[in-house]
Amino acid sequence: MEFNAPAGTNLFDQAKVVGKSTPRIDGPLKVSGLAPYAFERHDVAENQAYGWVVGSGIAKGRIASMDVSEAKAAPGVIAIVTSPDVEPLGKGMMCYAPLFGGHEITHYHQAIACVVAETFEQARAAAALIRTEYETGDGAFDFPAAKTGAVLSDDPETFGDFDAAFPKAPVQIDSTYTTPAETHAMMEPHATIAAWEGDKLTLWTANQMIAWSKTAIAKILGIDAANVRLDSPYVGGGFGGKLWVRADAVLAALGAKAAGRPVKIALQRPMIANNTTHRQGTIQRLRIGAESNGKITAIAHENWSYNVKGGDGEAATAQTKKLYAGDNRLIAEYCARLDLPEGNAMRAPGEAPGHLGLEVAMDELAIALDMCPIELRILNEPDAVPGNPEKPFSDRNLVRCLRKGAERFGWSKRAAPATRREGRWLIGMGVAAGYRGSPTTESAARVKLLDGRIVVETDMTDIGTGSYTIIAQTAAETMGVPLSAVTVELGDSDFSASAGSGGQWGASSSTAGVYAACVNLRRQVGDKLGFNGDTATFADGKIIADNKRFDLADAGHLSAEDSASFGSSQKDHDVGTYAAHFCEVAVDAYTGETRLRRMLSVCDAGRILNPLSARSQVIGAMVMSVGMALMEELVVDKRHGLFINHDLAGYEVPVHADTPQQDVIFLDTLDEVVGPLKAKGVGELGICGPGAAIANAIYNATGIRVRDYPLTLDKYL
Ligand code: MOS
């Protein structure tokens, strides 16, 4: 079923189930420990052995030799798979560095061996007995030093003449911001159980994108995709780190083959930062020129980042293409080549650090203009995509977000910089706007009717986001049954291929796919019972058609499959989500320590399918923003080329005490273009901007502007 704008009035506009705050249907399983995560699937395959992954001790060079004789003789060892004995695997399969195989080492903690043993402890002990000799090569690990060699990743986006307009602007800002590398730090590590039955491979794994990853694992291992099954019903967080197959899946498969029995692997926590992907650091130069009334005349955002060969940098400029008007524009992305681990998607890749540049530069501009930063943003609200007047926004309510937030947060009480003090605490408020795209992508589902009950099957994943619940709500609404009559099965590659969880496209795309399958099922019910399923009313387990009543249960057993695809209206409009973020901080006048007091995010993301789970999404994203602003940083050892603080002891993330009060407001909006439910994603919107609001609040408190993230106390002394 193809969906094109405008959606018009539909059953969701009178919804009884969709749009209501609904506790997660998987919640009781999760809080009672009964939702099995990949490593806990003890019952799916008998005789599971344990795999331990060995990571390279150098960042660049070659394996000269590996001696596994002692390890092989260690107690409990069943098999050892070593990199030099396998052709390089995985490069180009949605990753840029090989996942395993060969002699070449391209990054620290690249997987070089997997020891399979009867117990976890035996595998770990034996792994320590492997002797590896390396030929160490020269690598480039210093991002600021490599910046001069960076090349454009794409043609710069230019409109008007920035170079001519900027020097003429009466008020100018020219600031450079740096953001560090970051790691996903999800609760559940990458984990897989692999089992072979003849040529058939099953992976019980933690993965965001089942259909992509099924294709990828088949290509990586050189087997037929029809012989591969992935199952991922529960995922303990992904944040982009589980969009692809990683070494745990590849080595569980190879280990299981070598051992002749199922093998389970959880990637060890200290391996994750260097073995898998990370969010790359950025260096962002923002130049903004304005008239003395605040109208922006020229805006340039140049961003430098890095990656391994073949990969792009962290593209921090996307929001700058959308947020503010201004005729003369220059937006450019440069990428340097480094020998650090591969950089790749982490929650709102690009925009998350991009707001830490643009939205602080806007604050600096407001101060230079002696203007309220909210009024400055409202004054520069564009009518259509800047530089592209032919492209309207599908639905954009940023101004409403800003005004509503200002009122709710008490913005009028904001004082001049460094003027509000309570004892030793300097108090400040900050604001930032937020933008994140809301793409949709094809998504299929199968819906079964079983005597009045509904079963939904799709390979969509729930990475902690609430997919189970919003899918159940969609099916209940469309089929006219209570939520309790719906069962949702997710994450199995034998089910219809969904959009998966990424880029905050999951909610709108997967529910559209379920809706399409339900429409198909309604038609089948009508054909069987003798009415037109498209025009009948389905409610409370009954159907009213042609002034007659039917029982849904009378249709017996039926099954329908369909997919949602999204038509040209998506291309004719800019479909995005918007937010206004507010923050109040207290900064210790003597130690420079920042303590958050309050945070508020006002979100504009179309219909909110489930305000309860959406709120949780935004709150979680706000917490990650606190990390980005104040504490998170993968520290690069520039001599040896690794992230040195590669575990949760050395990589600091926020805890509850760091985020005492968070508030979320959703505007009551509908996006007629995005799809049949008129709903957009929010999971990544919430990490786009709150960090900048924190930075701006610290400036308001202290009068000191630090442009180098994270904003740790030492930088204020
Ligand atoms: Mo997201 S970074 O596409 O999981």
PDB file of all heavy atoms in Angstrom, residues 593-622:
ATOM      1  N   GLU A 593      31.922  23.212  39.168  1.00  0.00           N
ATOM      2  CA  GLU A 593      31.055  22.060  38.935  1.00  0.00           C
ATOM      3  C   GLU A 593      29.645  22.503  38.526  1.00  0.00           C
ATOM      4  O   GLU A 593      29.060  23.374  39.163  1.00  0.00           O
ATOM      5  CB  GLU A 593      30.965  21.216  40.212  1.00  0.00           C
ATOM      6  CG  GLU A 593      30.068  20.010  40.068  1.00  0.00           C
ATOM      7  CD  GLU A 593      29.773  19.325  41.398  1.00  0.00           C
ATOM      8  OE1 GLU A 593      30.155  19.869  42.455  1.00  0.00           O
ATOM      9  OE2 GLU A 593      29.152  18.264  41.363  1.00  0.00           O
ATOM     10  N   THR A 594      29.122  21.896  37.461  1.00  0.00           N
ATOM     11  CA  THR A 594      27.757  22.197  37.027  1.00  0.00           C
ATOM     12  C   THR A 594      26.791  21.164  37.567  1.00  0.00           C
ATOM     13  O   THR A 594      27.034  19.967  37.497  1.00  0.00           O
ATOM     14  CB  THR A 594      27.673  22.196  35.484  1.00  0.00           C
ATOM     15  OG1 THR A 594      28.404  23.302  34.984  1.00  0.00           O
ATOM     16  CG2 THR A 594      26.220  22.327  35.015  1.00  0.00           C
ATOM     17  N   ARG A 595      25.699  21.661  38.130  1.00  0.00           N
ATOM     18  CA  ARG A 595      24.598  20.796  38.567  1.00  0.00           C
ATOM     19  C   ARG A 595      23.346  21.216  37.814  1.00  0.00           C
ATOM     20  O   ARG A 595      22.980  22.398  37.831  1.00  0.00           O
ATOM     21  CB  ARG A 595      24.356  20.975  40.070  1.00  0.00           C
ATOM     22  CG  ARG A 595      25.421  20.376  40.932  1.00  0.00           C
ATOM     23  CD  ARG A 595      25.012  18.985  41.357  1.00  0.00           C
ATOM     24  NE  ARG A 595      26.154  18.177  41.715  1.00  0.00           N
ATOM     25  CZ  ARG A 595      26.095  16.847  41.797  1.00  0.00           C
ATOM     26  NH1 ARG A 595      24.980  16.211  41.529  1.00  0.00           N
ATOM     27  NH2 ARG A 595      27.155  16.160  42.135  1.00  0.00           N
ATOM     28  N   LEU A 596      22.713  20.268  37.167  1.00  0.00           N
ATOM     29  CA  LEU A 596      21.460  20.591  36.497  1.00  0.00           C
ATOM     30  C   LEU A 596      20.370  20.776  37.535  1.00  0.00           C
ATOM     31  O   LEU A 596      20.320  20.047  38.527  1.00  0.00           O
ATOM     32  CB  LEU A 596      21.038  19.463  35.564  1.00  0.00           C
ATOM     33  CG  LEU A 596      21.920  19.202  34.364  1.00  0.00           C
ATOM     34  CD1 LEU A 596      21.323  18.084  33.537  1.00  0.00           C
ATOM     35  CD2 LEU A 596      22.068  20.443  33.519  1.00  0.00           C
ATOM     36  N   ARG A 597      19.490  21.729  37.286  1.00  0.00           N
ATOM     37  CA  ARG A 597      18.334  21.884  38.160  1.00  0.00           C
ATOM     38  C   ARG A 597      17.058  21.409  37.474  1.00  0.00           C
ATOM     39  O   ARG A 597      16.300  20.648  38.047  1.00  0.00           O
ATOM     40  CB  ARG A 597      18.182  23.340  38.584  1.00  0.00           C
ATOM     41  CG  ARG A 597      19.267  23.766  39.546  1.00  0.00           C
ATOM     42  CD  ARG A 597      18.898  25.041  40.240  1.00  0.00           C
ATOM     43  NE  ARG A 597      19.645  25.194  41.473  1.00  0.00           N
ATOM     44  CZ  ARG A 597      19.499  26.223  42.289  1.00  0.00           C
ATOM     45  NH1 ARG A 597      18.631  27.178  42.003  1.00  0.00           N
ATOM     46  NH2 ARG A 597      20.208  26.293  43.389  1.00  0.00           N
ATOM     47  N   ARG A 598      16.814  21.901  36.274  1.00  0.00           N
ATOM     48  CA  ARG A 598      15.569  21.543  35.575  1.00  0.00           C
ATOM     49  C   ARG A 598      15.853  21.446  34.093  1.00  0.00           C
ATOM     50  O   ARG A 598      16.676  22.202  33.558  1.00  0.00           O
ATOM     51  CB  ARG A 598      14.505  22.640  35.750  1.00  0.00           C
ATOM     52  CG  ARG A 598      14.146  23.007  37.159  1.00  0.00           C
ATOM     53  CD  ARG A 598      12.987  24.008  37.145  1.00  0.00           C
ATOM     54  NE  ARG A 598      13.403  25.342  36.722  1.00  0.00           N
ATOM     55  CZ  ARG A 598      12.695  26.149  35.935  1.00  0.00           C
ATOM     56  NH1 ARG A 598      11.522  25.752  35.438  1.00  0.00           N
ATOM     57  NH2 ARG A 598      13.125  27.357  35.621  1.00  0.00           N
ATOM     58  N   MET A 599      15.131  20.554  33.437  1.00  0.00           N
ATOM     59  CA  MET A 599      15.179  20.491  31.970  1.00  0.00           C
ATOM     60  C   MET A 599      13.740  20.384  31.451  1.00  0.00           C
ATOM     61  O   MET A 599      12.911  19.728  32.064  1.00  0.00           O
ATOM     62  CB  MET A 599      15.937  19.247  31.485  1.00  0.00           C
ATOM     63  CG  MET A 599      17.387  19.193  31.908  1.00  0.00           C
ATOM     64  SD  MET A 599      18.152  17.615  31.396  1.00  0.00           S
ATOM     65  CE  MET A 599      18.504  17.975  29.672  1.00  0.00           C
ATOM     66  N   LEU A 600      13.511  21.003  30.308  1.00  0.00           N
ATOM     67  CA  LEU A 600      12.206  20.893  29.646  1.00  0.00           C
ATOM     68  C   LEU A 600      12.438  20.761  28.151  1.00  0.00           C
ATOM     69  O   LEU A 600      13.237  21.507  27.581  1.00  0.00           O
ATOM     70  CB  LEU A 600      11.365  22.155  29.912  1.00  0.00           C
ATOM     71  CG  LEU A 600      10.118  22.324  29.030  1.00  0.00           C
ATOM     72  CD1 LEU A 600       9.062  21.264  29.333  1.00  0.00           C
ATOM     73  CD2 LEU A 600       9.522  23.727  29.193  1.00  0.00           C
ATOM     74  N   SER A 601      11.750  19.823  27.526  1.00  0.00           N
ATOM     75  CA  SER A 601      11.757  19.731  26.063  1.00  0.00           C
ATOM     76  C   SER A 601      10.322  19.780  25.566  1.00  0.00           C
ATOM     77  O   SER A 601       9.473  19.036  26.049  1.00  0.00           O
ATOM     78  CB  SER A 601      12.426  18.428  25.599  1.00  0.00           C
ATOM     79  OG  SER A 601      13.805  18.458  25.904  1.00  0.00           O
ATOM     80  N   VAL A 602      10.081  20.679  24.628  1.00  0.00           N
ATOM     81  CA  VAL A 602       8.773  20.778  23.983  1.00  0.00           C
ATOM     82  C   VAL A 602       8.945  20.241  22.564  1.00  0.00           C
ATOM     83  O   VAL A 602       9.754  20.765  21.800  1.00  0.00           O
ATOM     84  CB  VAL A 602       8.271  22.232  23.952  1.00  0.00           C
ATOM     85  CG1 VAL A 602       6.849  22.281  23.405  1.00  0.00           C
ATOM     86  CG2 VAL A 602       8.338  22.857  25.340  1.00  0.00           C
ATOM     87  N   CYS A 603       8.215  19.186  22.239  1.00  0.00           N
ATOM     88  CA  CYS A 603       8.465  18.452  20.996  1.00  0.00           C
ATOM     89  C   CYS A 603       7.302  18.566  20.025  1.00  0.00           C
ATOM     90  O   CYS A 603       6.136  18.480  20.424  1.00  0.00           O
ATOM     91  CB  CYS A 603       8.715  16.976  21.301  1.00  0.00           C
ATOM     92  SG  CYS A 603      10.126  16.707  22.382  1.00  0.00           S
ATOM     93  N   ASP A 604       7.665  18.679  18.763  1.00  0.00           N
ATOM     94  CA  ASP A 604       6.703  18.778  17.666  1.00  0.00           C
ATOM     95  C   ASP A 604       7.021  17.641  16.697  1.00  0.00           C
ATOM     96  O   ASP A 604       7.948  17.742  15.909  1.00  0.00           O
ATOM     97  CB  ASP A 604       6.881  20.154  16.989  1.00  0.00           C
ATOM     98  CG  ASP A 604       6.169  20.239  15.654  1.00  0.00           C
ATOM     99  OD1 ASP A 604       5.114  19.603  15.487  1.00  0.00           O
ATOM    100  OD2 ASP A 604       6.689  20.963  14.774  1.00  0.00           O
ATOM    101  N   ALA A 605       6.258  16.550  16.817  1.00  0.00           N
ATOM    102  CA  ALA A 605       6.586  15.350  16.040  1.00  0.00           C
ATOM    103  C   ALA A 605       5.336  14.673  15.496  1.00  0.00           C
ATOM    104  O   ALA A 605       5.269  13.454  15.386  1.00  0.00           O
ATOM    105  CB  ALA A 605       7.391  14.382  16.905  1.00  0.00           C
ATOM    106  N   GLY A 606       4.329  15.482  15.142  1.00  0.00           N
ATOM    107  CA  GLY A 606       3.101  14.881  14.623  1.00  0.00           C
ATOM    108  C   GLY A 606       2.343  14.159  15.720  1.00  0.00           C
ATOM    109  O   GLY A 606       2.545  14.413  16.911  1.00  0.00           O
ATOM    110  N   ARG A 607       1.469  13.223  15.294  1.00  0.00           N
ATOM    111  CA  ARG A 607       0.703  12.486  16.288  1.00  0.00           C
ATOM    112  C   ARG A 607       1.664  11.692  17.173  1.00  0.00           C
ATOM    113  O   ARG A 607       2.563  11.015  16.672  1.00  0.00           O
ATOM    114  CB  ARG A 607      -0.260  11.519  15.596  1.00  0.00           C
ATOM    115  CG  ARG A 607      -1.198  10.815  16.573  1.00  0.00           C
ATOM    116  CD  ARG A 607      -1.926   9.635  15.938  1.00  0.00           C
ATOM    117  NE  ARG A 607      -2.555   9.940  14.651  1.00  0.00           N
ATOM    118  CZ  ARG A 607      -3.690  10.629  14.507  1.00  0.00           C
ATOM    119  NH1 ARG A 607      -4.342  11.056  15.551  1.00  0.00           N
ATOM    120  NH2 ARG A 607      -4.178  10.868  13.305  1.00  0.00           N
ATOM    121  N   ILE A 608       1.444  11.776  18.452  1.00  0.00           N
ATOM    122  CA  ILE A 608       2.236  10.983  19.384  1.00  0.00           C
ATOM    123  C   ILE A 608       1.465   9.692  19.646  1.00  0.00           C
ATOM    124  O   ILE A 608       0.381   9.704  20.233  1.00  0.00           O
ATOM    125  CB  ILE A 608       2.519  11.764  20.678  1.00  0.00           C
ATOM    126  CG1 ILE A 608       3.285  13.055  20.358  1.00  0.00           C
ATOM    127  CG2 ILE A 608       3.294  10.914  21.671  1.00  0.00           C
ATOM    128  CD1 ILE A 608       4.620  12.879  19.657  1.00  0.00           C
ATOM    129  N   LEU A 609       2.008   8.583  19.173  1.00  0.00           N
ATOM    130  CA  LEU A 609       1.268   7.312  19.173  1.00  0.00           C
ATOM    131  C   LEU A 609       0.990   6.830  20.586  1.00  0.00           C
ATOM    132  O   LEU A 609      -0.057   6.251  20.860  1.00  0.00           O
ATOM    133  CB  LEU A 609       2.066   6.253  18.399  1.00  0.00           C
ATOM    134  CG  LEU A 609       2.319   6.605  16.931  1.00  0.00           C
ATOM    135  CD1 LEU A 609       3.366   5.673  16.336  1.00  0.00           C
ATOM    136  CD2 LEU A 609       1.021   6.530  16.143  1.00  0.00           C
ATOM    137  N   ASN A 610       1.952   7.049  21.459  1.00  0.00           N
ATOM    138  CA  ASN A 610       1.804   6.635  22.856  1.00  0.00           C
ATOM    139  C   ASN A 610       2.569   7.638  23.715  1.00  0.00           C
ATOM    140  O   ASN A 610       3.799   7.548  23.831  1.00  0.00           O
ATOM    141  CB  ASN A 610       2.366   5.222  23.028  1.00  0.00           C
ATOM    142  CG  ASN A 610       2.234   4.709  24.459  1.00  0.00           C
ATOM    143  OD1 ASN A 610       1.941   5.465  25.384  1.00  0.00           O
ATOM    144  ND2 ASN A 610       2.470   3.424  24.632  1.00  0.00           N
ATOM    145  N   PRO A 611       1.888   8.622  24.280  1.00  0.00           N
ATOM    146  CA  PRO A 611       2.598   9.694  25.001  1.00  0.00           C
ATOM    147  C   PRO A 611       3.498   9.167  26.119  1.00  0.00           C
ATOM    148  O   PRO A 611       4.529   9.775  26.419  1.00  0.00           O
ATOM    149  CB  PRO A 611       1.461  10.552  25.565  1.00  0.00           C
ATOM    150  CG  PRO A 611       0.311  10.320  24.634  1.00  0.00           C
ATOM    151  CD  PRO A 611       0.439   8.880  24.188  1.00  0.00           C
ATOM    152  N   LEU A 612       3.132   8.038  26.698  1.00  0.00           N
ATOM    153  CA  LEU A 612       3.941   7.506  27.796  1.00  0.00           C
ATOM    154  C   LEU A 612       5.292   6.993  27.294  1.00  0.00           C
ATOM    155  O   LEU A 612       6.350   7.360  27.816  1.00  0.00           O
ATOM    156  CB  LEU A 612       3.159   6.372  28.486  1.00  0.00           C
ATOM    157  CG  LEU A 612       3.661   5.889  29.825  1.00  0.00           C
ATOM    158  CD1 LEU A 612       3.638   7.005  30.861  1.00  0.00           C
ATOM    159  CD2 LEU A 612       2.799   4.708  30.303  1.00  0.00           C
ATOM    160  N   SER A 613       5.268   6.149  26.260  1.00  0.00           N
ATOM    161  CA  SER A 613       6.549   5.618  25.761  1.00  0.00           C
ATOM    162  C   SER A 613       7.322   6.696  25.009  1.00  0.00           C
ATOM    163  O   SER A 613       8.559   6.718  25.026  1.00  0.00           O
ATOM    164  CB  SER A 613       6.335   4.367  24.906  1.00  0.00           C
ATOM    165  OG  SER A 613       5.487   4.621  23.825  1.00  0.00           O
ATOM    166  N   ALA A 614       6.616   7.616  24.360  1.00  0.00           N
ATOM    167  CA  ALA A 614       7.314   8.707  23.670  1.00  0.00           C
ATOM    168  C   ALA A 614       8.042   9.600  24.681  1.00  0.00           C
ATOM    169  O   ALA A 614       9.179  10.015  24.464  1.00  0.00           O
ATOM    170  CB  ALA A 614       6.330   9.535  22.853  1.00  0.00           C
ATOM    171  N   ARG A 615       7.372   9.858  25.792  1.00  0.00           N
ATOM    172  CA  ARG A 615       7.996  10.667  26.843  1.00  0.00           C
ATOM    173  C   ARG A 615       9.260   9.979  27.348  1.00  0.00           C
ATOM    174  O   ARG A 615      10.300  10.621  27.562  1.00  0.00           O
ATOM    175  CB  ARG A 615       6.991  10.876  27.987  1.00  0.00           C
ATOM    176  CG  ARG A 615       7.516  11.696  29.132  1.00  0.00           C
ATOM    177  CD  ARG A 615       6.419  11.937  30.193  1.00  0.00           C
ATOM    178  NE  ARG A 615       6.936  12.739  31.278  1.00  0.00           N
ATOM    179  CZ  ARG A 615       7.619  12.235  32.306  1.00  0.00           C
ATOM    180  NH1 ARG A 615       7.840  10.948  32.371  1.00  0.00           N
ATOM    181  NH2 ARG A 615       8.085  13.036  33.253  1.00  0.00           N
ATOM    182  N   SER A 616       9.178   8.662  27.533  1.00  0.00           N
ATOM    183  CA  SER A 616      10.365   7.933  27.986  1.00  0.00           C
ATOM    184  C   SER A 616      11.498   8.042  26.966  1.00  0.00           C
ATOM    185  O   SER A 616      12.668   8.157  27.336  1.00  0.00           O
ATOM    186  CB  SER A 616      10.028   6.459  28.209  1.00  0.00           C
ATOM    187  OG  SER A 616       9.057   6.332  29.226  1.00  0.00           O
ATOM    188  N   GLN A 617      11.136   7.983  25.680  1.00  0.00           N
ATOM    189  CA  GLN A 617      12.149   8.145  24.642  1.00  0.00           C
ATOM    190  C   GLN A 617      12.845   9.490  24.757  1.00  0.00           C
ATOM    191  O   GLN A 617      14.064   9.590  24.674  1.00  0.00           O
ATOM    192  CB  GLN A 617      11.483   8.050  23.260  1.00  0.00           C
ATOM    193  CG  GLN A 617      11.251   6.648  22.802  1.00  0.00           C
ATOM    194  CD  GLN A 617      12.552   5.959  22.563  1.00  0.00           C
ATOM    195  OE1 GLN A 617      13.229   6.228  21.590  1.00  0.00           O
ATOM    196  NE2 GLN A 617      12.944   5.107  23.476  1.00  0.00           N
ATOM    197  N   VAL A 618      12.043  10.544  24.926  1.00  0.00           N
ATOM    198  CA  VAL A 618      12.627  11.889  24.961  1.00  0.00           C
ATOM    199  C   VAL A 618      13.454  12.074  26.232  1.00  0.00           C
ATOM    200  O   VAL A 618      14.560  12.631  26.197  1.00  0.00           O
ATOM    201  CB  VAL A 618      11.521  12.967  24.839  1.00  0.00           C
ATOM    202  CG1 VAL A 618      12.113  14.363  24.976  1.00  0.00           C
ATOM    203  CG2 VAL A 618      10.804  12.830  23.489  1.00  0.00           C
ATOM    204  N   ILE A 619      12.944  11.576  27.341  1.00  0.00           N
ATOM    205  CA  ILE A 619      13.693  11.715  28.595  1.00  0.00           C
ATOM    206  C   ILE A 619      15.053  11.001  28.484  1.00  0.00           C
ATOM    207  O   ILE A 619      16.091  11.535  28.887  1.00  0.00           O
ATOM    208  CB  ILE A 619      12.855  11.176  29.768  1.00  0.00           C
ATOM    209  CG1 ILE A 619      11.829  12.236  30.152  1.00  0.00           C
ATOM    210  CG2 ILE A 619      13.731  10.840  30.973  1.00  0.00           C
ATOM    211  CD1 ILE A 619      10.929  11.839  31.287  1.00  0.00           C
ATOM    212  N   GLY A 620      15.034   9.795  27.909  1.00  0.00           N
ATOM    213  CA  GLY A 620      16.294   9.071  27.732  1.00  0.00           C
ATOM    214  C   GLY A 620      17.261   9.838  26.845  1.00  0.00           C
ATOM    215  O   GLY A 620      18.464   9.897  27.115  1.00  0.00           O
ATOM    216  N   ALA A 621      16.723  10.438  25.804  1.00  0.00           N
ATOM    217  CA  ALA A 621      17.578  11.209  24.895  1.00  0.00           C
ATOM    218  C   ALA A 621      18.119  12.461  25.582  1.00  0.00           C
ATOM    219  O   ALA A 621      19.274  12.852  25.379  1.00  0.00           O
ATOM    220  CB  ALA A 621      16.792  11.582  23.643  1.00  0.00           C
ATOM    221  N   MET A 622      17.294  13.087  26.421  1.00  0.00           N
ATOM    222  CA  MET A 622      17.763  14.267  27.168  1.00  0.00           C
ATOM    223  C   MET A 622      18.916  13.869  28.093  1.00  0.00           C
ATOM    224  O   MET A 622      19.892  14.624  28.246  1.00  0.00           O
ATOM    225  CB  MET A 622      16.613  14.855  28.005  1.00  0.00           C
ATOM    226  CG  MET A 622      15.514  15.526  27.178  1.00  0.00           C
ATOM    227  SD  MET A 622      13.964  15.685  28.127  1.00  0.00           S
ATOM    228  CE  MET A 622      14.249  17.184  29.054  1.00  0.00           C
TER     229      MET A 622
END
